[in-house]
């Protein structure tokens, strides 16, 4: 796709001054020029032009708010001195996969006082002796080279994507508000769990006060029956003795 057409699609119902991020990767540039990219993109903070056939950055428009510039996999071999005038506030610059062969090519970058991270992967300059030490000496304000600082400590993700901090700030605030709104729902769930626990405790209490099992009730009934039977036997014995006494008394009366 031609770069001019891609820019038109990216704009849609927006004006150039509304755009803060623009990705033009793999588009076809016209004679190394960025067609359609003009000074009107005055609020642009991130620009990616990976593999678009650039041979120079001389045709970049003036983008004073640009913080991150991706120029990987092009054919740039020099002319970096224009960046200080066109993009004075750059903090991240990626020149990986270009035709940069010596340190003198990147020396003009020392004019970019805000430059914090520089990538030169797959450039011939990386094959030079003491390449890293010499770059840090040449650009003393630089913090990260090819993703690592002078002590070989890897750059954190926040530094790799620092350009997005301003863009995502509002979203983070919205996320915090959403989290605060969700919190009461969690409290309700906790209350529901507490109610459920109380119900379980009540059920356990009910179980502890249950009637005896049928087997125990049957044992009690048998014991009661035996007690009743024993009582009946005693009554019959007393009645028998009483009857015997009456008969003896009748016989004595008849003898008299």
């Amino acid at each position: 796709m031609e770069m001019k057409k891609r820019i038109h699609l990216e704009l849609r119902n927006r004006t150039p001054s509304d755009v803060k991020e623009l990705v033009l990767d793999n588009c076809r540039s016209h004679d190394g020029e960025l067609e359609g990219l003009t000074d009107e993109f005055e609020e642009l903070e991130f620009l990616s032009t990976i593999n678009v056939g650039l041979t120079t950055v001389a045709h970049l428009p003036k983008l004073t708010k640009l913080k991150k510039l991706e120029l990987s996999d092009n054919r740039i071999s020099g002319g970096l001195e224009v960046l200080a005038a066109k993009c004075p506030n750059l903090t991240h610059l990626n020149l990986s996969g270009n035709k940069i062969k010596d340190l003198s090519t990147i020396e003009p970058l020392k004019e970019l006082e805000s430059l914090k991270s520089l990538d030169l992967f797959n450039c011939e300059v990386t094959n030079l002796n003491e390449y890293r030490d010499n770059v840090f000496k040449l650009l003393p304000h630089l913090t990260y080279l090819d993703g690592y600082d002078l002590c070989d400590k890897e750059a954190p993700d926040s530094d790799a994507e620092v350009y997005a901090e301003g863009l995502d700030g509002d979203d983070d605030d919205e996320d915090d508000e959403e989290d605060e709104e969700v919190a009461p729902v969690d409290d309700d769930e906790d209350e529901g769990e507490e109610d459920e626990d109380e119900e379980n405790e009540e059920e356990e209490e009910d179980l502890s006060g249950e009637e005896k099992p049928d087997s125990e009730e049957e044992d009690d009934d048998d014991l009661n029956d035996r007690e009743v039977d024993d009582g009946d036997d005693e009554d019959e014995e007393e009645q028998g003795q009483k009857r015997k006494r009456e008969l003896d008394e009748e016989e004595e009366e008849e003898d008299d």
Side-chain angles (χ1 to χ4, degrees):
M1 180 183 294
E2 292 183 1
M3 187 171 295
K4 191 173 183 180
K5 185 176 182 181
R6 170 70 71 83
I7 292 176
H8 178 71
L9 291 175
E10 289 284 343
L11 288 176
R12 295 179 184 174
N13 296 324
R14 298 183 295 173
T15 62
S17 60
D18 294 329
V19 180
K20 290 187 176 182
E21 180 179 351
L22 188 60
V23 178
L24 304 174
D25 299 348
N26 303 311
C27 290
R28 293 193 302 273
S29 61
H30 179 68
D31 293 333
E33 295 186 13
L34 301 174
E35 284 188 305
L37 187 63
T38 66
D39 296 345
E40 293 178 341
F41 288 85
E42 55 188 16
E43 297 296 324
L44 197 63
E45 295 181 11
F46 170 62
L47 174 62
S48 183
T49 56
I50 299 174
N51 188 33
V52 297
L54 289 181
T55 57
T56 178
V57 291
H59 302 297
L60 271 175
K62 190 168 184 177
L63 304 169
T64 57
K65 291 189 178 182
L66 194 67
K67 293 180 180 180
K68 184 170 183 179
L69 179 58
E70 288 279 353
L71 295 170
S72 304
D73 301 325
N74 285 290
R75 298 193 297 275
I76 299 169
S77 59
L80 300 181
E81 59 275 2
V82 301
L83 290 177
K86 294 178 177 290
C87 312
N89 293 307
L90 273 184
T91 60
H92 290 66
L93 176 61
N94 194 336
L95 290 166
S96 301
N98 280 279
K99 298 183 179 298
I100 298 173
K101 299 179 180 181
D102 50 58
L103 293 177
S104 61
T105 304
I106 62 174
E107 185 174 2
L109 298 180
K110 64 185 179 182
E111 300 300 326
L112 292 170
E113 297 179 357
S114 299
L115 190 63
K116 184 178 181 181
S117 177
L118 175 65
D119 290 304
L120 296 169
F121 288 112
N122 297 323
C123 292
E124 290 186 39
V125 68
T126 61
N127 297 323
L128 298 177
N129 291 332
E130 298 182 351
Y131 150 72
R132 288 181 57 80
D133 290 340
N134 288 329
V135 172
F136 278 114
K137 289 177 182 178
L138 186 65
L139 308 174
H141 53 278
L142 198 66
T143 304
Y144 299 105
L145 175 61
D146 300 331
Y148 291 85
D149 66 10
L150 188 57
C151 298
D152 290 331
K153 183 178 179 181
E154 188 174 4
D157 292 339
S158 58
D159 285 316
E161 300 297 339
V162 69
Y163 77 94
E165 290 179 357
L167 301 178
D168 297 338
D170 297 338
D171 294 338
D172 292 339
D173 294 339
E174 292 177 1
D175 292 340
D176 293 339
E177 292 177 359
E178 290 177 359
D179 292 340
E180 291 177 358
E181 294 176 357
V182 172
V185 176
D186 294 336
D187 292 340
D188 293 341
E189 292 179 357
D190 292 339
E191 290 177 1
E193 291 177 357
E194 290 177 0
D195 294 340
E196 188 173 329
D197 291 338
E198 290 177 359
E199 291 178 0
N200 292 335
E201 290 177 0
E202 291 177 359
E203 290 179 0
E204 290 177 359
E205 291 177 359
D206 293 341
L207 290 174
S208 63
E210 281 184 351
E211 296 181 357
K212 297 179 180 179
D214 293 341
S215 59
E216 292 182 6
E217 291 180 356
E218 290 176 359
D219 292 340
D220 291 343
D221 291 341
D222 291 341
L223 180 60
N224 292 333
D225 291 341
R226 285 196 297 272
E227 290 176 354
V228 171
D229 292 341
D230 292 342
D232 292 342
D233 292 341
E234 290 177 358
D235 292 341
E236 290 178 358
E237 185 177 350
E238 289 178 358
Q239 290 176 0
Q241 291 177 355
K242 184 178 180 181
R243 179 61 179 164
K244 184 178 180 181
R245 286 195 299 271
E246 290 176 353
L247 290 175
D248 291 341
E249 289 175 356
E250 289 178 358
E251 288 178 356
E252 289 178 357
E253 291 178 356
E254 287 177 358
D255 291 340
D256 293 341

